[in-house]
Amino acid sequence: MSTLFVDTINEKTTNNGVEIPGHVINVQSVKFSGTQSSTSSSFTDVTDLSITMTPKSSSSKFYVSCNIAVGTDQYFVYLRLVRNGVALLTPDDTGSNRSTSHFSYASSVVGGSAYIILHLPAQHLDSPNTTSAVTYKVQFAKRSDSGSQVAYINRSHRNLDYSGGYDANGVSTLTVMEIGG
């Protein structure tokens, strides 16, 4: 049996890099710690939750992970992951009463639960099959037939900054890892 010990691996060609299939090549992570709201049923980018990476090779995969803090005054907050503007994780069965492009939603009933912030996670292993730059984003929207509903990121509907100190804010994150193919 042989053992190989190395202190440094240098690439043979400048900017070609060293790629080991199945191993992480690059990691980027961003967070949004402010608050955002929307009364639109059209998907809107969540502030600061966008990452652009250029794949090392066309066989690279990207592991996308996010955790989004949401609140609402009623009904639903729809969330989705997108790559270059195209929704990922869309369900096969979309029926007439379902959103066609969300990875998760939060429902809230007017009243006590309007004080709640839910943290909604999503993970996806994506194969863009390109060597061109790819941009991953998180977007959110309210339910289309919900009137004056407001969808919130990183806060609850009733977040009124009371001096009692029990209003909570959240932090939302997006992490993308390139994995060698």
Side-chain angles (χ1 to χ4, degrees):
M1 175 191 253
S2 298
T3 304
L4 174 65
F5 295 97
V6 297
D7 291 321
T8 304
I9 297 177
N10 293 319
E11 56 189 308
K12 182 177 178 181
T13 307
T14 303
N15 294 324
N16 198 23
V18 176
E19 179 181 334
I20 302 170
H23 287 75
V24 175
I25 297 170
N26 189 6
V27 178
Q28 291 187 32
S29 187
V30 292
K31 70 177 182 177
F32 175 51
S33 57
T35 60
Q36 185 178 359
S37 62
S38 178
T39 57
S40 176
S41 59
S42 297
F43 281 96
T44 303
D45 292 350
V46 175
T47 301
D48 296 334
L49 294 191
S50 176
I51 293 175
T52 300
M53 297 173 77
T54 301
K56 198 73 158 159
S57 74
S58 61
S59 62
S60 287
K61 297 184 182 326
F62 288 89
Y63 181 74
V64 184
S65 176
C66 64
N67 191 333
I68 312 301
V70 299
T72 183
D73 55 345
Q74 56 185 332
Y75 302 114
F76 305 99
V77 176
Y78 293 105
L79 296 157
R80 71 180 184 180
L81 290 170
V82 296
R83 178 195 356 106
N84 295 344
V86 176
L88 303 172
L89 296 175
T90 57
D92 289 337
D93 179 14
T94 56
S96 62
N97 293 323
R98 295 180 180 94
S99 172
T100 59
S101 53
H102 68 279
F103 67 79
S104 190
Y105 65 89
S107 62
S108 179
V109 177
V110 176
S113 62
Y115 292 93
I116 294 174
I117 297 174
L118 296 175
H119 287 267
L120 303 175
Q123 297 82 36
H124 178 63
L125 184 61
D126 190 36
S127 301
N129 299 315
T130 185
T131 55
S132 299
V134 291
T135 299
Y136 292 96
K137 294 181 179 184
V138 178
Q139 297 179 329
F140 76 117
K142 72 166 195 162
R143 188 170 122 176
S144 63
D145 62 348
S146 61
S148 62
Q149 177 201 359
V150 182
Y152 298 101
I153 300 294
N154 291 342
R155 61 158 281 189
S156 69
H157 170 63
R158 301 285 184 176
N159 187 325
L160 302 173
D161 294 324
Y162 288 127
S163 60
Y166 52 82
D167 289 329
N169 282 357
V171 175
S172 296
T173 61
L174 172 65
T175 301
V176 179
M177 292 184 271
E178 181 181 2
I179 301 169

